[in-house]
Amino acid sequence: MLDFSTIEQFDKIATPFYYYDMDLLHKTVDHVAELAERHNIKVHYAVKANVERRLLEYISSKGFGADCVSGNEVLHAHSCGFPADRIVYAGVGKTDKEIYDALTLGIEAFNCESLQEIYVINEMAHRYGIKASISVRINPDIDAHTHKYVTTGLYENKFGISQHEFEKLIEIIQKSEYIDFFGLHFHVGSQITRVSEVYALECKRVNEIVRYFERQGLTVKNINLGGGLGVDYDDPDGNAIADFKTWFDTIEANIERRPDQMVHVEPGRSLVAQCASLISRVLFVKSGETKNFLIMDAGMNDLIRPALYGAYHKIENLSAEQRTFFPTHQAYDIVGPVCESSDVWGAGRLLPLSVRGDLMAIRSAGAYGQVMASRYNMKDIAPSVFSDELGKAPQIKDYFE
Ligand SMILES: Cc1ncc(COP(=O)(O)O)c(C=O)c1O
């Protein structure tokens, strides 16, 4: 929740910008670190959700690992304090250069997504005389009951290796001399809100698959259950910290593990979504034929989730909240400046009467926001502003002075 003095300081800052509530980040990360220790579960932060250096430095300082999906993420995570032996690297399309960089850095494990990838990694490891540690990402064919663009564990998705290739997979692992088999990796989707149901199902399927691989003579030392825990986009203040407890309890109750087996998880969104808001200003208020438009200076180039997935973000008029009179409310279509009809923050949103210059907060913007920003329409990239460094933020210029 943004307090009065913070909002007052926003008045001097050039918009749009991503505002990071560092207290909330610290509370969330500390809470997860404590739960992970209690449940003996290793946490790898899914770097793709947000690559902001200050966030990564805090997360790595708490002993978390990093889950990366590109060579640049691997190098960036390492430069932000994640030791190489706590970095895992997934992704269906790793280039030779990316494999080389990760191999020579000595990462904890490649999460391999195809038989050919294992073959190529083994060849490269052979050439450079380094043993590669690999996990195999399995497609468990589980419905995560989430948006189809963030469902990853169904046979129709491109991720992981499916059951029909298991025999060949085991043969390749057993024959590949430059590979150390680290374990099995799963990830069924993102923004999972039916937490106990979906993760219990995932664990049950994982138990069967682990048993199968061990019967074939492979020791599964590590079981990585992926990420996906959902956050509350409707009520970011009421549920500022995602339900990690239910997630970890569900895993503990359902996963079968020997004392020598380690369980890993890879939360991205749930660690960082709620700690950031995209702060924007109303540029113009326009009456259309049938509706009123609030035109903001932040658009789909800054945060593409609404345009890409039809995602909902709570939007607040911060300036109206500070006004002393009680304004009437009005329905607005809140839109961005980009020349695309999909550049809509929310249709028919009820807000206090809003005027040019009002500061608006697009909440829960910390995950899959800034990382997907683009320079479409040659817009500038919105900078980061941190709650503990407000004085360093770029100042607004008054063109009417
Ligand atoms: C392999 C893998 N692990 C973890 C994550 C993180 O998911 P989330 O941000 O939903 O926790 C993703 C996201 O797509 C992923 O692909």
Side-chain angles (χ1 to χ4, degrees):
M1 184 127 37
L2 296 166
D3 59 40
F4 180 75
S5 70
T6 308
I7 296 169
E8 249 194 336
Q9 294 190 66
F10 283 177
D11 249 341
K12 302 178 203 88
I13 303 176
T15 50
F17 62 89
Y18 274 89
Y19 172 71
Y20 287 97
D21 177 345
M22 297 305 278
D23 272 353
L24 181 56
L25 174 78
H26 296 168
K27 275 192 198 130
T28 308
V29 172
D30 295 358
H31 172 65
V32 176
E34 193 192 306
L35 278 179
E37 197 179 325
R38 198 178 322 146
H39 290 270
N40 192 25
I41 288 176
K42 274 196 184 166
V43 181
H44 287 72
Y45 165 58
V47 169
K48 67 176 78 63
N50 191 313
V51 297
E52 180 53 64
R53 176 169 289 277
R54 283 209 57 200
L55 273 55
L56 267 62
E57 283 174 351
Y58 189 75
I59 296 170
S60 64
S61 77
K62 293 288 153 176
F64 289 45
D67 157 47
C68 300
V69 288
S70 74
N72 284 343
E73 278 192 6
V74 168
L75 300 177
H76 179 64
H78 190 240
S79 82
C80 291
F82 291 97
D85 63 3
R86 269 195 243 137
I87 296 176
V88 294
Y89 175 17
V92 293
K94 303 174 181 82
T95 66
D96 292 1
K97 177 185 184 305
E98 288 177 313
I99 293 171
Y100 174 83
D101 284 347
L103 190 65
T104 48
L105 194 66
I107 62 166
E108 185 174 18
F110 288 89
N111 291 334
C112 296
E113 307 227 15
S114 63
L115 301 188
Q116 195 162 34
E117 182 188 332
I118 300 173
Y119 180 80
V120 167
I121 291 177
N122 183 59
E123 289 285 290
M124 205 176 280
H126 185 184
R127 172 152 347 135
Y128 292 98
I130 306 167
K131 273 220 160 179
S133 164
I134 69 146
S135 274
V136 179
R137 178 165 177 180
I138 301 294
N139 184 328
D141 198 30
I142 283 177
D143 189 351
H145 298 288
T146 183
H147 192 287
K148 73 173 179 151
Y149 287 0
V150 291
T151 292
T152 56
L154 288 172
Y155 282 157
E156 68 197 59
N157 304 130
K158 67 180 174 182
F159 301 99
I161 295 173
S162 310
Q163 199 167 348
H164 75 282
E165 289 194 305
F166 281 2
E167 264 181 46
K168 242 188 176 157
L169 168 65
I170 289 164
E171 195 189 318
I172 291 178
I173 294 171
Q174 285 169 337
K175 277 195 184 149
S176 301
E177 283 180 40
Y178 282 82
I179 271 171
D180 271 335
F181 180 61
F182 186 75
L184 295 177
H185 174 230
F186 305 82
H187 172 73
V188 297
S190 196
Q191 186 51 17
I192 293 168
T193 49
R194 287 154 71 164
V195 179
S196 23
E197 178 193 335
V198 170
Y199 288 106
L201 195 68
E202 184 192 13
C203 287
K204 289 202 175 101
R205 187 85 183 100
V206 167
N207 293 338
E208 289 166 14
I209 295 169
V210 170
R211 275 200 299 270
Y212 170 83
F213 275 82
E214 295 223 315
R215 275 203 308 272
Q216 308 307 310
L218 287 178
T219 307
V220 180
K221 291 174 283 190
N222 294 278
I223 304 167
N224 185 335
L225 297 170
L229 179 66
V231 304
D232 193 338
Y233 283 96
D234 296 315
D235 188 7
D237 295 318
N239 292 307
I241 298 185
D243 194 359
F244 289 95
K245 185 175 178 316
T246 301
W247 189 25
F248 282 63
D249 285 348
T250 304
I251 292 171
E252 176 143 337
N254 291 283
I255 202 80
E256 288 165 9
R257 70 196 282 198
R258 295 188 306 267
D260 64 336
Q261 272 172 327
M262 182 49 78
V263 169
H264 303 234
V265 291
E266 300 170 337
R269 182 192 312 271
S270 50
L271 281 176
V272 295
Q274 302 293 22
C275 77
S277 296
L278 175 59
I279 308 295
S280 175
R281 272 192 177 79
V282 175
L283 291 175
F284 305 112
V285 185
K286 179 160 95 171
S287 316
E289 215 41 68
T290 55
K291 40 174 92 160
N292 296 305
F293 292 100
L294 281 188
I295 301 164
M296 317 250 276
D297 61 6
M300 62 191 283
N301 57 301
D302 298 301
L303 173 63
I304 202 173
R305 298 189 67 257
L308 186 63
Y309 313 120
Y312 175 89
H313 284 263
K314 187 173 177 186
I315 299 175
E316 291 168 346
N317 184 326
L318 302 175
S319 306
E321 281 169 17
Q322 311 304 306
R323 291 198 263 269
T324 45
F325 61 91
F326 291 105
T328 50
H329 280 66
Q330 204 167 320
Y332 294 102
D333 273 19
I334 309 171
V335 301
V338 172
C339 295
E340 295 286 338
S341 294
S342 57
D343 188 22
V344 176
W345 291 112
R349 298 281 185 99
L350 205 60
L351 283 179
L353 203 67
S354 303
V355 297
R356 172 172 161 81
D358 277 356
L359 278 165
M360 311 285 283
I362 299 158
R363 304 291 309 274
S364 317
Y368 307 107
Q370 217 172 4
V371 276
M372 290 199 208
S374 80
R375 294 217 49 209
Y376 185 40
N377 284 190
M378 287 194 81
K379 291 281 186 184
D380 291 326
I381 295 285
S384 305
V385 170
F386 301 99
S387 54
D388 53 356
E389 290 181 347
L390 273 171
K392 289 191 187 167
Q395 299 292 290
I396 193 166
K397 180 169 165 34
D398 186 351
Y399 292 93
F400 291 99
E401 263 171 359

